[in-house]
Amino acid sequence: MRPAVIHKDLAALPAPPNPAMGWDEARGLLDGLPGGGLNIAWEAVARHARGALADRVAIRWHPAAGDVRPITYRELDESSSRFANLLRGLGVGKGDVVFVLCGRVPELYFAVLGALRLGAAVSPLFSAFGPEPIATRINMGRGKVLVTTEALYQKKVAKIAVPMPTLAKVLCVDSADFRAAFAAASPRCEVAATTPEDTSFLHFTSGTTGMPKGAVHVHGAVVMHCATGKVALDLHPDDVFWCTADPGWVTGTSYGIVTPLVHGVTSIVDEADFDAERWYRILEEERVSVWYTAPTAIRMLMKAGAELARTHAFPRLRFVASVGEPLNPEAVWWGMEAFGMPIHDNWWQTETGGIMIANTAAMDVKPGSMGKPLPGVEAAIVHRKDDGLEIVAAPGTEGELALRPGWPSMFRGYLDQDERYRKCFVGGWYLTGDLARRDEDGYFWFVGRADDVIKSAGHLIGPFEVESVLMEHRAVAEAGVIGKPDPVVGEVVKAFVSLKAGFVPDEALRMEILGHVRKRLGAAIAPKEIAFATTLPRTRSGKIMRRLLKARELGLPEGDLSTLEGGS
Ligand code: AMP
């Protein structure tokens, strides 16, 4: 049995962990606009381009094929200013929304930072979205300009069948026209005098059913990105940072764009999709020191085997973090094997705008736990009651994870859905929709989405716990667990598993896996059924879609599939 805690010798770490800091200290690390106000583009780029970091590489862009392109803070400032001037020429300003539908190309970063610079809001769209989800979001967000590429335009935008009445212009950043206009545009553009409460990003997130929700974020969120960059990601001035998330999702904007730039570090951007060998090569050759990735990627690396990792060396790698879905203890331990350090899980969601709960560099890691609330974050486990909330004090009790409102990157609304927004707040707390428990040391443990939890013979079963134990079996690559209605016990646990290369999905293996989980979890919690699947349905951001496994199992409507990987 592996120990429950990975203890750290802080004195032996390659760099002393950043000290904890609150919001006020983080504000002190930002400049604020020269004339007053706060703007993300100023803090991330413009101020550095006017100071000692002007010639530092801000982004090292790895194209899918071809040579790496380094982009300095000065160039990023000039290129995003050119973009801002082009947008201004189209009538874009404060209050407008610019949609961005691009792969991970430099122009995406110029467009996002250019729009923020003008005081316009940015709404990123994942480039694998099909025509329908694109049109739905542009119409919901009343998008004025869409920034895309010629290929994406032909493949997606040209096929949109519904009118998009607010959309005034589509810019294809690789067209000859755009290139000429970009080159001719002025590389100087003042930063708009936005306040901390002005809208910066509009992030669409999917509910389990119905229309997507547009979470509204503000420029003041940069205080959180500054603080969490230090405390949760342990960024130091000389770091080379790689966040593998796509900027179509909140992680890819908050931590793939804003946070590293605010800290003036060098950030890696890879245009290509996941490839184990390529990723190890980038980690090695770029001498990445802080790496922020996701469980789905880690599981794919695990599938490729730790031997592949050992053919590379990562002497500068100091801190590895993960977000997006539960990080199984197996994956944390695998980090020790592959990189010589644990993978640090952290928790947040689109609505929180930034990391809230984390295993930080300064903390011992409890594999399987999301860590502790960051300084300034107040988190609790609560039970909903008819007349409000009950705060659960006893350690180990499951309940809904709630946060005390007021952190700087908190979403300020769901666009046009005030009632839905209001319902998130009860008795002075924001309710996250996640179930969790807190242990006696103050670490939080993820149990499941409130709507994924299984009730069997009176027991509440978190799918994550069962999945983690399934993952311990040598043959299992991925697992997804659902509750299947049962006349006797309410729900029975059913597991879907995909196998590692070299294993055959036969009855003997099914019994072996069942035996393993029963031994570890007991018959009440272990799955009654195990089905083999070649792959599990996942969102494009990598989360296993349990609700879809369940809908398919039960022959129910599949609901909103716009975020399904491989869908359209
Ligand atoms: P999204 O808004 O798409 O970023 O999804 C947020 C949701 O992902 C959270 O509410 C959790 O259900 C899940 N999630 C994010 N990070 C973690 C984590 N470290 N452990 C478990 N679940 C997570």
Side-chain angles (χ1 to χ4, degrees):
M1 234 6 210
R2 283 169 160 158
V5 183
I6 301 176
H7 292 286
K8 288 201 191 140
D9 176 0
L10 298 188
L13 292 179
N18 280 316
M21 72 163 45
W23 317 132
D24 286 342
E25 282 165 279
R27 266 184 208 104
L29 296 178
L30 299 170
D31 283 4
L33 287 169
L38 190 65
N39 184 293
I40 293 175
W42 174 268
E43 303 301 334
V45 185
R47 63 169 177 154
H48 298 319
R50 282 153 188 71
L53 298 180
D55 294 318
R56 177 145 204 216
V57 174
I59 292 176
R60 281 183 59 82
W61 180 59
H62 286 242
D67 295 336
V68 174
R69 175 174 162 193
I71 300 168
T72 62
Y73 278 93
R74 189 196 312 278
E75 187 189 343
L76 194 54
D77 188 54
E78 291 178 356
S79 295
S80 51
S81 294
R82 286 181 201 276
F83 217 113
N85 284 322
L86 291 183
L87 290 172
R88 188 166 28 208
L90 297 171
V92 173
K94 225 166 151 176
D96 291 323
V97 182
V98 174
F99 276 80
V100 181
L101 172 78
C102 289
R104 289 178 295 276
V105 293
E107 288 76 12
L108 178 150
Y109 299 80
F110 305 156
V112 168
L113 293 162
L116 294 173
R117 191 176 190 113
L118 280 184
V122 176
S123 189
L125 293 167
F126 189 44
S127 58
F129 274 151
E132 235 189 84
I134 294 171
T136 306
R137 286 159 177 77
I138 290 177
N139 282 339
M140 283 182 76
R142 296 181 281 281
K144 185 157 186 176
V145 171
L146 170 65
V147 177
T148 187
T149 61
E150 289 202 312
L152 287 169
Y153 182 83
Q154 293 306 335
K155 216 167 128 196
K156 323 254 170 161
V157 185
K159 295 191 181 143
I160 291 176
V162 296
M164 293 185 286
T166 60
L167 196 65
K169 180 83 181 168
V170 179
L171 288 176
C172 290
V173 294
D174 48 356
S175 68
D177 281 357
F178 176 86
R179 291 221 158 111
F182 186 76
S186 164
R188 306 265 167 274
C189 176
E190 248 184 46
V191 178
T194 44
T195 72
E197 286 305 310
D198 282 330
T199 305
S200 56
F201 286 99
L202 177 62
H203 278 293
F204 284 93
T205 168
S206 281
T208 40
T209 51
M211 297 287 272
K213 304 173 273 186
V216 177
H217 288 279
V218 295
H219 280 270
V222 69
V223 173
M224 183 88 173
H225 299 136
C226 181
T228 52
K230 270 209 176 298
V231 182
L233 297 176
D234 197 38
L235 288 176
H236 287 56
D238 292 333
D239 275 322
V240 176
F241 174 71
W242 185 17
C243 168
T244 60
D246 188 272
W249 307 111
V250 69
T251 309
T253 54
S254 292
Y255 294 98
I257 303 180
V258 179
T259 301
L261 298 177
V262 165
H263 282 280
V265 302
T266 296
S267 179
I268 305 297
V269 173
D270 182 20
E271 186 187 14
D273 288 333
F274 175 85
D275 174 84
E277 173 58 35
R278 180 181 171 100
W279 278 32
Y280 285 133
R281 189 170 49 69
I282 292 177
L283 282 172
E284 178 170 20
E285 288 177 8
E286 289 289 5
R287 299 172 56 75
V288 171
S289 50
V290 178
W291 192 38
Y292 195 21
T293 188
T296 176
I298 294 164
R299 283 194 297 264
M300 287 195 280
L301 290 176
M302 289 167 75
K303 219 169 176 174
E307 304 72 41
L308 185 62
R310 284 196 285 265
T311 62
H312 296 264
F314 314 105
R316 237 198 124 198
L317 192 61
R318 197 184 72 239
F319 189 75
V320 183
S322 162
V323 72
E325 43 164 357
L327 186 68
N328 314 77
E330 271 315 289
V332 177
W333 283 105
W334 178 83
M336 300 291 278
E337 249 182 81
F339 305 115
M341 64 197 82
I343 295 170
H344 296 73
D345 189 18
N346 60 51
W347 178 96
W348 59 292
Q349 55 182 190
T350 304
E351 287 82 350
T352 70
I355 302 169
M356 306 293 288
I357 296 178
N359 288 281
T360 71
M363 276 164 56
D364 290 339
V365 171
K366 291 198 183 186
S369 158
M370 318 191 279
K372 295 187 197 179
L374 293 178
V377 173
E378 194 185 342
I381 301 296
V382 302
H383 288 159
R384 294 185 194 230
K385 299 273 168 211
D386 289 342
D387 56 349
L389 289 182
E390 179 200 344
I391 311 283
V392 177
T397 310
E398 283 173 14
E400 192 167 354
L401 176 62
L403 303 162
R404 185 72 86 182
W407 67 93
S409 62
M410 191 178 95
F411 72 133
R412 300 301 201 263
Y414 287 129
L415 193 69
D416 299 331
Q417 300 184 65
D418 290 346
E419 186 53 26
R420 214 167 173 180
Y421 182 67
R422 264 198 301 276
K423 276 192 177 150
C424 299
F425 299 88
V426 180
W429 292 85
Y430 163 68
L431 294 168
T432 65
D434 281 358
L435 295 182
R437 61 173 183 273
R438 183 179 40 201
D439 70 16
E440 58 290 351
D441 300 321
Y443 285 70
F444 281 74
W445 297 75
F446 184 77
V447 173
R449 287 292 302 168
D451 36 22
D452 281 343
V453 158
I454 304 163
K455 240 181 222 166
S456 187
H459 300 282
L460 271 188
I461 301 171
F464 171 57
E465 189 179 7
V466 184
E467 288 160 10
S468 286
V469 171
L470 283 161
M471 293 270 301
E472 285 171 8
H473 190 278
R474 65 196 167 93
V476 175
E478 277 197 307
V481 165
I482 61 161
K484 198 175 148 182
D486 179 273
V488 181
V489 291
E491 284 183 305
V492 291
V493 178
K494 172 158 186 174
F496 297 82
V497 301
S498 71
L499 298 178
K500 289 185 185 153
F503 288 93
V504 183
D506 59 14
E507 201 44 36
L509 183 59
R510 189 197 316 275
M511 295 316 288
E512 188 186 313
I513 298 173
L514 263 177
H516 158 76
V517 207
R518 280 210 188 118
K519 206 164 98 202
R520 292 275 284 104
L521 291 176
I525 297 182
K528 296 281 173 291
E529 290 176 43
I530 293 182
F532 292 117
T534 7
T535 53
L536 300 181
R538 280 192 258 147
T539 64
R540 298 173 202 277
S541 57
K543 298 183 208 303
I544 293 172
M545 290 179 83
R546 297 188 188 88
R547 74 166 171 88
L548 188 55
L549 284 171
K550 187 161 179 171
R552 287 179 177 167
E553 173 72 21
L554 304 182
L556 297 173
E558 296 191 346
D560 173 18
L561 294 186
S562 61
T563 58
L564 175 67
E565 189 182 59
S568 66

